PDB file of all heavy atoms in Angstrom:
ATOM      1  N   ILE A 175     -11.171 -65.250 -84.217  1.00 48.00           N
ATOM      2  CA  ILE A 175     -11.320 -66.601 -83.552  1.00 48.00           C
ATOM      3  C   ILE A 175     -12.735 -67.050 -83.965  1.00 48.00           C
ATOM      4  O   ILE A 175     -13.676 -66.482 -83.664  1.00 48.00           O
ATOM      5  CB  ILE A 175     -11.136 -66.557 -82.091  1.00 48.00           C
ATOM      6  CG1 ILE A 175      -9.758 -65.977 -81.747  1.00 48.00           C
ATOM      7  CG2 ILE A 175     -11.316 -67.850 -81.328  1.00 48.00           C
ATOM      8  CD1 ILE A 175      -9.419 -65.657 -80.277  1.00 48.00           C
ATOM      9  N   PRO A 176     -12.770 -68.290 -84.525  1.00 50.00           N
ATOM     10  CA  PRO A 176     -14.046 -68.839 -84.909  1.00 50.00           C
ATOM     11  C   PRO A 176     -14.939 -69.042 -83.630  1.00 50.00           C
ATOM     12  O   PRO A 176     -14.413 -69.455 -82.516  1.00 50.00           O
ATOM     13  CB  PRO A 176     -13.824 -70.188 -85.571  1.00 50.00           C
ATOM     14  CG  PRO A 176     -12.423 -70.074 -86.044  1.00 50.00           C
ATOM     15  CD  PRO A 176     -11.738 -69.209 -85.007  1.00 50.00           C
ATOM     16  N   ALA A 177     -16.251 -68.686 -83.655  1.00 47.00           N
ATOM     17  CA  ALA A 177     -17.042 -68.925 -82.577  1.00 47.00           C
ATOM     18  C   ALA A 177     -17.497 -70.409 -82.484  1.00 47.00           C
ATOM     19  O   ALA A 177     -17.611 -71.119 -83.518  1.00 47.00           O
ATOM     20  CB  ALA A 177     -18.388 -68.052 -82.767  1.00 47.00           C
ATOM     21  N   ARG A 178     -17.681 -70.920 -81.333  1.00 49.00           N
ATOM     22  CA  ARG A 178     -18.156 -72.333 -81.126  1.00 49.00           C
ATOM     23  C   ARG A 178     -19.640 -72.382 -81.356  1.00 49.00           C
ATOM     24  O   ARG A 178     -20.435 -71.587 -80.985  1.00 49.00           O
ATOM     25  CB  ARG A 178     -17.788 -72.720 -79.729  1.00 49.00           C
ATOM     26  CG  ARG A 178     -16.322 -72.884 -79.565  1.00 49.00           C
ATOM     27  CD  ARG A 178     -16.042 -73.400 -78.195  1.00 49.00           C
ATOM     28  NE  ARG A 178     -14.476 -73.528 -77.946  1.00 49.00           N
ATOM     29  CZ  ARG A 178     -14.016 -74.013 -76.772  1.00 49.00           C
ATOM     30  NH1 ARG A 178     -14.896 -74.473 -75.736  1.00 49.00           N
ATOM     31  NH2 ARG A 178     -12.684 -74.037 -76.611  1.00 49.00           N
ATOM     32  N   THR A 179     -20.019 -73.516 -81.955  1.00 45.00           N
ATOM     33  CA  THR A 179     -21.440 -73.788 -82.133  1.00 45.00           C
ATOM     34  C   THR A 179     -21.745 -75.120 -81.418  1.00 45.00           C
ATOM     35  O   THR A 179     -20.925 -75.986 -81.331  1.00 45.00           O
ATOM     36  CB  THR A 179     -21.799 -73.861 -83.528  1.00 45.00           C
ATOM     37  OG1 THR A 179     -21.037 -74.922 -84.222  1.00 45.00           O
ATOM     38  CG2 THR A 179     -21.574 -72.522 -84.221  1.00 45.00           C
ATOM     39  N   ASN A 180     -23.106 -75.304 -80.992  1.00 49.00           N
ATOM     40  CA  ASN A 180     -23.303 -76.514 -80.238  1.00 49.00           C
ATOM     41  C   ASN A 180     -24.011 -77.518 -81.216  1.00 49.00           C
ATOM     42  O   ASN A 180     -24.072 -78.715 -80.852  1.00 49.00           O
ATOM     43  CB  ASN A 180     -24.567 -76.101 -79.222  1.00 49.00           C
ATOM     44  CG  ASN A 180     -23.952 -75.336 -78.138  1.00 49.00           C
ATOM     45  OD1 ASN A 180     -22.875 -75.400 -77.753  1.00 49.00           O
ATOM     46  ND2 ASN A 180     -24.758 -74.397 -77.545  1.00 49.00           N
ATOM     47  N   SER A 181     -24.368 -77.074 -82.491  1.00 48.00           N
ATOM     48  CA  SER A 181     -24.817 -77.967 -83.394  1.00 48.00           C
ATOM     49  C   SER A 181     -23.934 -78.249 -84.547  1.00 48.00           C
ATOM     50  O   SER A 181     -23.428 -77.286 -85.049  1.00 48.00           O
ATOM     51  CB  SER A 181     -26.277 -77.520 -83.882  1.00 48.00           C
ATOM     52  OG  SER A 181     -26.125 -76.418 -84.480  1.00 48.00           O
ATOM     53  N   PRO A 182     -23.739 -79.520 -84.949  1.00 51.00           N
ATOM     54  CA  PRO A 182     -22.804 -79.797 -86.054  1.00 51.00           C
ATOM     55  C   PRO A 182     -23.511 -79.229 -87.324  1.00 51.00           C
ATOM     56  O   PRO A 182     -24.653 -79.112 -87.588  1.00 51.00           O
ATOM     57  CB  PRO A 182     -22.710 -81.231 -86.075  1.00 51.00           C
ATOM     58  CG  PRO A 182     -23.245 -81.812 -84.805  1.00 51.00           C
ATOM     59  CD  PRO A 182     -24.281 -80.707 -84.306  1.00 51.00           C
ATOM     60  N   GLY A 183     -22.565 -78.634 -88.211  1.00 53.00           N
ATOM     61  CA  GLY A 183     -22.929 -78.098 -89.551  1.00 53.00           C
ATOM     62  C   GLY A 183     -23.571 -76.755 -89.372  1.00 53.00           C
ATOM     63  O   GLY A 183     -23.857 -76.222 -90.476  1.00 53.00           O
ATOM     64  N   ALA A 184     -23.609 -76.102 -88.201  1.00 49.00           N
ATOM     65  CA  ALA A 184     -24.177 -74.734 -88.124  1.00 49.00           C
ATOM     66  C   ALA A 184     -23.081 -73.831 -88.669  1.00 49.00           C
ATOM     67  O   ALA A 184     -21.906 -74.121 -88.573  1.00 49.00           O
ATOM     68  CB  ALA A 184     -24.529 -74.312 -86.745  1.00 49.00           C
ATOM     69  N   PRO A 185     -23.473 -72.736 -89.264  1.00 53.00           N
ATOM     70  CA  PRO A 185     -22.458 -71.671 -89.829  1.00 53.00           C
ATOM     71  C   PRO A 185     -21.603 -71.066 -88.671  1.00 53.00           C
ATOM     72  O   PRO A 185     -22.088 -70.938 -87.570  1.00 53.00           O
ATOM     73  CB  PRO A 185     -23.314 -70.673 -90.502  1.00 53.00           C
ATOM     74  CG  PRO A 185     -24.620 -70.785 -89.828  1.00 53.00           C
ATOM     75  CD  PRO A 185     -24.834 -72.206 -89.529  1.00 53.00           C
ATOM     76  N   VAL A 186     -20.448 -70.898 -88.942  1.00 46.00           N
ATOM     77  CA  VAL A 186     -19.484 -70.270 -87.971  1.00 46.00           C
ATOM     78  C   VAL A 186     -19.403 -68.773 -88.050  1.00 46.00           C
ATOM     79  O   VAL A 186     -19.189 -68.230 -89.228  1.00 46.00           O
ATOM     80  CB  VAL A 186     -17.990 -70.900 -88.156  1.00 46.00           C
ATOM     81  CG1 VAL A 186     -17.046 -70.275 -87.125  1.00 46.00           C
ATOM     82  CG2 VAL A 186     -18.107 -72.394 -88.021  1.00 46.00           C
ATOM     83  N   THR A 187     -19.702 -68.038 -87.030  1.00 49.00           N
ATOM     84  CA  THR A 187     -19.762 -66.700 -87.055  1.00 49.00           C
ATOM     85  C   THR A 187     -18.615 -66.148 -86.384  1.00 49.00           C
ATOM     86  O   THR A 187     -18.205 -66.496 -85.140  1.00 49.00           O
ATOM     87  CB  THR A 187     -20.963 -66.178 -86.233  1.00 49.00           C
ATOM     88  OG1 THR A 187     -22.193 -66.745 -86.686  1.00 49.00           O
ATOM     89  CG2 THR A 187     -21.054 -64.594 -86.191  1.00 49.00           C
ATOM     90  N   PRO A 188     -17.753 -65.357 -87.110  1.00 49.00           N
ATOM     91  CA  PRO A 188     -16.429 -64.923 -86.466  1.00 49.00           C
ATOM     92  C   PRO A 188     -16.595 -63.850 -85.422  1.00 49.00           C
ATOM     93  O   PRO A 188     -17.632 -63.063 -85.495  1.00 49.00           O
ATOM     94  CB  PRO A 188     -15.759 -64.225 -87.643  1.00 49.00           C
ATOM     95  CG  PRO A 188     -16.867 -63.889 -88.615  1.00 49.00           C
ATOM     96  CD  PRO A 188     -17.926 -64.955 -88.486  1.00 49.00           C
ATOM     97  N   THR A 189     -15.803 -63.904 -84.426  1.00 42.00           N
ATOM     98  CA  THR A 189     -15.946 -62.931 -83.296  1.00 42.00           C
ATOM     99  C   THR A 189     -15.232 -61.679 -83.771  1.00 42.00           C
ATOM    100  O   THR A 189     -14.169 -61.662 -84.235  1.00 42.00           O
ATOM    101  CB  THR A 189     -15.316 -63.494 -82.030  1.00 42.00           C
ATOM    102  OG1 THR A 189     -15.866 -64.630 -81.707  1.00 42.00           O
ATOM    103  CG2 THR A 189     -15.404 -62.503 -80.935  1.00 42.00           C
TER     104      THR A 189
END
Side-chain angles (χ1 to χ4, degrees):
I175 302 175
R178 295 183 179 180
T179 58
N180 294 327
S181 59
V186 177
T187 302
T189 302

